[in-house]
Amino acid sequence: MSRGNEGSKSKGSGRRDGKSAGASKGNDRRNDRPYSDKGKSSSRGKKSDERPTTRGGKNQVVGTSRSGKPVTKKEYIDRKKAESFTKRKTDKAGTRLNKYIANSGLCSRRDADIYIKAGSVSVNGKPVVEMGYQVMPGDEVRFDDRPIQPSKKEYFILNKPKGFNSPRKGERSSRTVLDLMESASPNSLHFVGRLGRASLGIMLFTNDLELANKLNNPKQKLRKIYQVALDRSFKHEDLMQLRNGILIDREPVEIKEINYVENGKNNEVGIEIHSGKDNIVQRVFEAVGYEIKVLDRVVLGGLTKKDLPRGHYRKLKDQEVINLKMI
């Protein structure tokens, strides 16, 4: 009996020893792995990492959604990032302060930057000198302590009659083209394509100061067509001379087309010119010895005065505005 017991004890001990030996052997195998394999999780471990867990790490459960689904730390962080991006995007729905001022019709964006730096602008009662400041809906903006707000962009053309001047900035004059546009809009309008008191024809008016400045820039070379009546018959050789080009102030003037007016008198000439210089049409004809008695602009940047009586104005159509902005 004692022998059998000893055999059984020995066998049981052997199993325990076998487990111990196996574990030791397994430990030896793990210790024998190359250094570069250490720290790498098995494929089984990767699958485990993808499931929510109560332990630390990106998959730690930090709460539940409204539907009761567990929310991991990673999901929570991703959601907060998305909310932050949405907030930044909403903040960008504001309007840059210089653009806000320009849209009110007071001045251009470049001039607005100067006034902002000088401390002439306040938002909600506080002076703002920061470039790029965003004006949000509901903000009160003041310029020299006067409230301002952007106005809807408006565009008009006028068939200008004689006897009305187109004053330059700061110039005082009686009977101006702005008097003719007084009833068109409560907004401050700026004109494109200056015409003298004795001249006739199409002019553009808008409170879009950015566009007005762009089109009035001499470098823009805005398309203009005039019909002129000269003080005497226009000689063919003078016509050809202008077609071949002419210098004004030692600079070439681009005359796209010049010809006699169809069914007109021999002193009536049509001329297409893209120069933005002041009084350029008068100076062109003076260069070949003629004086203009009547100057009538019939086309300005693609706009015409067709069906528009002298002294009247009309609003531009949407497509006409689009065409102007594409110039």
Side-chain angles (χ1 to χ4, degrees):
M1 287 292 293
S2 62
R3 192 173 178 181
N5 289 338
E6 286 178 5
S8 175
K9 184 177 180 180
S10 174
K11 187 175 180 181
S13 176
R15 281 197 299 270
R16 286 195 296 271
D17 291 342
K19 285 184 179 180
S20 177
S24 175
K25 188 176 181 181
N27 286 338
D28 291 340
R29 281 198 299 270
R30 283 195 296 270
N31 291 336
D32 288 339
R33 289 178 182 175
Y35 177 76
S36 59
D37 289 339
K38 289 184 179 181
K40 290 187 178 180
S41 59
S42 64
S43 59
R44 185 175 181 182
K46 287 182 180 178
K47 291 180 181 178
S48 176
D49 288 343
E50 291 173 359
R51 293 194 295 268
T53 176
T54 55
R55 299 176 182 176
K58 64 181 181 180
N59 291 320
Q60 178 185 359
V61 176
V62 293
T64 57
S65 65
R66 292 180 180 179
S67 61
K69 181 182 177 181
V71 177
T72 65
K73 185 176 181 180
K74 182 178 183 301
E75 290 171 341
Y76 177 81
I77 293 173
D78 290 342
R79 190 186 73 189
K80 285 297 180 182
K81 284 181 179 179
E83 290 175 354
S84 176
F85 175 78
T86 301
K87 185 176 184 301
R88 289 197 302 271
K89 192 173 181 180
T90 303
D91 289 343
K92 290 183 179 180
T95 305
R96 286 176 64 94
L97 183 56
N98 61 353
K99 182 179 180 182
Y100 187 97
I101 296 171
N103 287 346
S104 70
L106 288 174
C107 59
S108 65
R109 293 193 199 186
R110 184 175 297 178
D111 289 341
D113 285 336
I114 297 173
Y115 290 121
I116 293 170
K117 289 180 181 178
S120 301
V121 183
S122 65
V123 180
N124 299 329
K126 297 181 180 180
V128 175
V129 294
E130 175 189 345
M131 295 294 103
Y133 183 90
Q134 295 282 323
V135 179
M136 304 305 294
D139 286 348
E140 183 190 46
V141 181
R142 286 181 170 264
F143 185 91
D144 283 342
D145 207 29
R146 293 177 300 164
I148 62 172
Q149 58 182 4
S151 51
K152 182 181 178 181
K153 296 292 185 293
E154 296 179 304
Y155 307 87
F156 303 88
I157 54 171
L158 167 73
N159 189 354
K160 176 190 173 299
K162 279 186 178 181
F164 290 85
N165 191 30
S166 306
R168 292 182 174 86
K169 188 175 181 180
E171 178 185 352
R172 292 186 177 182
S173 178
S174 60
R175 298 191 72 190
T176 72
V177 291
L178 296 175
D179 296 331
L180 295 171
M181 301 299 297
E182 195 171 19
S183 61
S185 172
N187 298 314
S188 178
L189 297 177
H190 307 269
F191 57 79
V192 174
R194 185 178 181 275
L195 287 173
R197 192 179 294 275
S199 300
L200 314 167
I202 188 170
M203 294 183 69
L204 171 67
F205 291 81
T206 179
N207 61 340
D208 187 343
L209 191 55
E210 297 286 332
L211 179 63
N213 287 340
K214 173 187 173 183
L215 297 180
N216 276 325
N217 190 330
K219 295 181 180 180
Q220 185 63 40
K221 296 184 177 180
L222 188 64
R223 179 176 181 242
K224 301 168 188 174
I225 299 178
Y226 301 85
Q227 288 186 358
V228 300
L230 304 174
D231 59 337
R232 55 194 174 88
S233 296
F234 191 49
K235 294 180 180 180
H236 184 264
E237 54 264 34
D238 295 328
L239 173 69
M240 296 306 296
Q241 182 181 348
L242 293 183
R243 278 186 180 175
N244 293 331
I246 191 171
L247 297 179
I248 301 291
D249 296 334
R250 298 181 180 180
E251 293 182 3
V253 175
E254 183 181 8
I255 299 175
K256 298 293 292 185
E257 184 63 43
I258 183 168
N259 213 334
Y260 296 100
V261 174
E262 187 176 356
N263 300 323
K265 299 178 180 179
N266 55 9
N267 70 328
E268 294 178 349
V269 182
I271 180 172
E272 178 178 345
I273 194 166
H274 294 186
S275 174
K277 292 183 178 181
D278 283 347
N279 302 318
I280 188 61
V281 180
Q282 290 91 332
R283 296 174 70 185
V284 163
F285 285 98
E286 286 173 359
V288 289
Y290 294 85
E291 181 184 347
I292 293 179
K293 291 300 184 180
V294 179
L295 184 146
D296 187 359
R297 184 161 59 208
V298 295
V299 173
L300 175 66
L303 300 172
T304 72
K305 59 176 186 174
K306 183 180 178 182
D307 300 327
L308 185 63
R310 190 85 68 196
H312 288 69
Y313 62 83
R314 69 167 177 85
K315 276 190 174 184
L316 263 62
K317 300 173 184 177
D318 291 343
Q319 188 59 52
E320 290 175 323
V321 175
I322 292 171
N323 294 342
L324 276 178
K325 291 183 176 182
M326 291 177 65
I327 293 176

